[in-house]
Amino acid sequence: MKKIVWILLAAFCVAACGGKDPEPTPQDHFSVMPSTLSFTDEDASTKLVTVTASSAWTVSVSADWIRVSPTSGSGNASLSVKVDPNPEEGPRSGSISIGGADKAVVSVTQAGSGKVEIVPRPAAFDGTKRAGTTYQLLIYSFADSDGDGVGDFKGIRDKLDYLDELGVTALWLSPAHPTGSYHGYDVNDYSAVNPLFGTEADFKALIDAAHARGIQIYMDFVLNHSGRGNAWFQSVLEDPENSPYRDYYVLSSNPTADVAAGKIDNYGGAQKSNMGGWNAFSAGETGYKGRLHFVLDSHAKTVTVTESTAAVDTPPSTSDWYIYCNSFKGMKKTAEGKYELTIDFNTDWGFLVCSKTDWSAGSKWGASSTAGPIRFGTPFSLYTNANNDLVGNIVFGGFSSHYFAAFDASMPDLNYGKYTECENSPAFKATVDAATKWVNLGVDGFRLDAVLWVYNNVVSANQRFLDQWYRAVNAAYKAAGHSDDIFMVGEAWEDHKVEKQYYKGLISNFEFNYGGLVSGMLGNQNASGYVDAVNTYLTEHTTVRPDAVTSFFLTNHDQDRFAEWVGKSEAKEKQAAALLLTTPGKPFVYQGEELGYYGTKSGGDEYVRAPILWDRAGRDCAKKGVNNKVNSGMLKADISVEAQSAAEGSLLQLYRSWSRLRNTYPALASGEMTKAGLSGSSIASWYMSSGSQKLLVIHNVAGSEKQVEVADDMSTPVALLGTGAIKDKTLILGANSSVVFQL
């Protein structure tokens, strides 16, 4: 019975199931689509990869420029695939690996950017220096060879290899003569050298060693004035009426009357001075040494002086009135309007009465132009005016006279007589004779100081004087065997409209507008007027004088450092150098500019005349040459020549490479500048051409990348500052970047 039941159940099951076998157990599955992805360099869209899977999977990429999200999962999913921009010119490829137990590979390709990074390929330098670059060098703070802390001739000679590597073709030396100051602009002997710097033989050795490296030597020559310690002037002080050097200086016993009568020749016909003033002196007794008692009546404007044996006063540190005799000494108030002081007195020139411890307007009371020497016990009438003009020293005894000084009492003006006859004056002949001596020693040129003031800022008078002086010294230069003309550059520190007129007297003058043009352009990020401005300078100079040489510079020893002008931005300092060295004319580089020196004159001129830091340890650093007034925060190891020579991309390396470029290509050194006119306010562009050679110069002064369409051939880049690339006819220049192409 049981057997029949089981047979019936089995038959029922077969009938119910249609006679089929049961479903098998499901199997794992995995697939990835598509198998290839293609991107262009500009393609910012997202591409998808579809994963069909029954189990967990992970993602890996062969290159970090491929970005996939998500990078893991389980089951079916869509993957987002992006790529970074391709900076390379050509295409690149990579892959995405996806899977767990099974794997699939997706091939990824990306087109090239089409941009070609600029790699400069300059021609080899043939060893011929043609750049015309001059290095302004301060003898006293450049390099110290003997350990006394003051720069010297041997120190310069020891560093000639440094200057040669910098590519300079000339050195402008600060005044090399004996002097009463650290800076040397009060010359005490035009025919001798300062013993602090070495001997005349040392100077000759420097000249010869420089010439052997193709470097000329220019001397700084001070024609407007001598030093008070000059033997010529000391002879005048001793006997102004009979001194053989009386006519060397501008003297008068009554300046007011003599100026009004037109008797003061170095005013060039003007009726008043534009700068400076008269200084009283007495012959015979040139001052006083001993104890004196001073009584000032400020209401009556008189001072009474008597010899004294009373105890010496301690001058108050602040007072309403001061006696000035080499320093300010405060007077004690004894009654309303009355002030007294007893001091030990030692002066060779006299004294002044001052209301302030500076020379601000109206603060100086002294002697009028008609006053004689002070007499003990007799009230002396004090003279002043709003501008301190004609306020002379109060002197003791002897014969009273006055001398004119455009700058300072320590720098009496030289007198060249009537400008129409200046070449006949003894001072003219003496200074020409001194210059001739240095020409015969091997000096190649001169920088002339303060040429505006030889004839008190009278342009026509100064023009004729400079023309005559240049002709006389050039004749000596020719007689010494030279076939070319001597180089001479004037410091006509004025607006361009005035400065350009001085080419009637000299072959070259400093273009003082240039540094401001460059710093303003970099600050405003606008270069649109640069080429026109430079061409205006050049054209206006050659219009006055066909052989004119425009001397361009950023800043000099009398100005705050250029680095200060551009906010100590190394990028802007580098581009300023590139601009200077790709611009026509004669470039001047100021000592320390190539190292990024900064500083202002606010604490004293020494702070813009800092010594060169040669190595990290500070050896041979001539700090005493600037009275030890240095910014120790600036003169650190990393700004040294040693550190910057070893650092690729340093400011020093930039100066070296771009100066070598200027020496290599005649078109840069002496070519003609024509505007290229590429679009963009931040772009300065021009051609430099000489003979068959033509270069295209482009500077982007913006603080961001700029693209410029260039029709010219860009296949031969010879210099690059910053970053640059080319895509078809588009030039892509980075912030504060510059490039030069040979066409």
Side-chain angles (χ1 to χ4, degrees), residues 199-506:
T199 66
E200 193 171 302
D202 293 330
F203 185 37
K204 173 62 173 171
L206 166 61
I207 294 171
D208 291 345
H211 286 173
R213 291 169 172 80
I215 299 174
Q216 296 185 321
I217 298 293
Y218 303 153
M219 289 185 80
D220 205 322
F221 221 71
V222 187
L223 288 172
N224 177 75
H225 53 265
S226 78
R228 186 182 168 95
N230 194 297
W232 302 341
F233 191 71
Q234 289 299 308
S235 172
V236 172
L237 290 180
E238 292 173 7
D239 188 356
E241 298 226 307
N242 301 303
S243 168
Y245 301 103
R246 174 181 173 81
D247 291 338
Y248 281 50
Y249 294 94
V250 185
L251 306 178
S252 174
S253 58
N254 192 339
T256 301
D258 286 346
V259 171
K263 295 181 179 180
I264 306 303
D265 291 328
N266 90 322
Y267 279 26
Q271 294 301 302
K272 63 176 289 186
S273 62
N274 288 299
M275 189 170 76
W278 293 89
N279 299 272
F281 68 94
S282 75
E285 298 178 34
T286 58
Y288 183 86
K289 183 177 182 180
R291 188 164 298 176
L292 296 178
H293 182 69
F294 295 82
V295 178
L296 170 67
D297 185 333
S298 62
H299 295 323
K301 293 182 69 173
T302 63
V303 64
T304 304
V305 182
T306 56
E307 295 178 297
S308 177
T309 58
V312 171
D313 291 326
T314 300
S317 58
T318 60
S319 175
D320 295 329
W321 291 95
Y322 301 83
I323 297 296
Y324 179 77
C325 50
N326 304 321
S327 63
F328 292 94
K329 301 182 186 301
M331 302 185 76
K332 296 181 176 181
K333 186 174 183 178
T334 56
E336 183 61 32
K338 294 289 182 69
Y339 300 83
E340 299 186 36
L341 181 66
T342 300
I343 55 174
D344 285 330
F345 199 77
N346 186 359
T347 176
D348 63 354
W349 60 269
F351 71 98
L352 294 165
V353 178
C354 301
S355 59
K356 297 180 181 178
T357 55
D358 59 37
W359 303 124
S360 53
S363 65
K364 183 168 69 173
W365 288 14
S368 70
S369 60
T370 58
I374 194 168
R375 302 300 179 191
F376 291 133
T378 301
F380 182 89
S381 295
L382 295 166
Y383 171 78
T384 189
N385 68 22
N387 296 317
N388 290 336
D389 285 348
L390 302 179
V391 177
N393 304 324
I394 304 168
V395 297
F396 297 84
F399 170 81
S400 179
S401 190
H402 298 76
Y403 66 91
F404 183 80
F407 287 89
D408 183 87
S410 65
M411 301 176 181
D413 272 29
L414 290 169
N415 174 38
Y416 296 102
K418 295 183 183 301
Y419 74 87
T420 54
E421 305 168 2
C422 60
E423 64 273 20
N424 298 322
S425 70
F428 183 99
K429 294 175 181 177
T431 54
V432 167
D433 287 346
T436 298
K437 171 184 175 174
W438 302 118
V439 166
N440 290 334
L441 195 72
V443 166
D444 304 282
F446 295 91
R447 178 264 186 184
L448 303 185
D449 181 67
V451 298
L452 297 174
W453 304 105
V454 176
Y455 279 96
N456 215 246
N457 209 18
V458 178
V459 174
S460 58
N462 287 327
Q463 285 172 336
R464 187 181 188 282
F465 168 83
L466 293 168
D467 178 63
Q468 292 296 310
W469 205 85
Y470 180 86
R471 289 174 184 271
V473 177
N474 195 38
Y477 182 76
K478 298 276 193 181
H482 298 278
S483 58
D484 59 332
D485 290 321
I486 194 169
F487 180 75
M488 209 174 286
V489 57
E491 183 206 19
W493 194 342
E494 252 295 4
D495 182 82
H496 172 73
K497 294 178 181 178
V498 175
E499 169 263 335
K500 69 182 182 181
Q501 299 179 67
Y502 279 78
Y503 282 88
K504 286 188 177 180
L506 292 173

Side-chain angles (χ1 to χ4, degrees), residues 35 89 117 315 345 418 421 532 720 741:
S35 61
E89 180 185 7
E117 297 297 321
F345 199 77
K418 295 183 183 301
E421 305 168 2
D532 288 339
L720 176 68
F741 297 101

Side-chain angles (χ1 to χ4, degrees), residues 20 138 349 512 535-536 633:
K20 297 180 180 177
L138 308 173
W349 60 269
F512 277 85
N535 271 327
T536 295

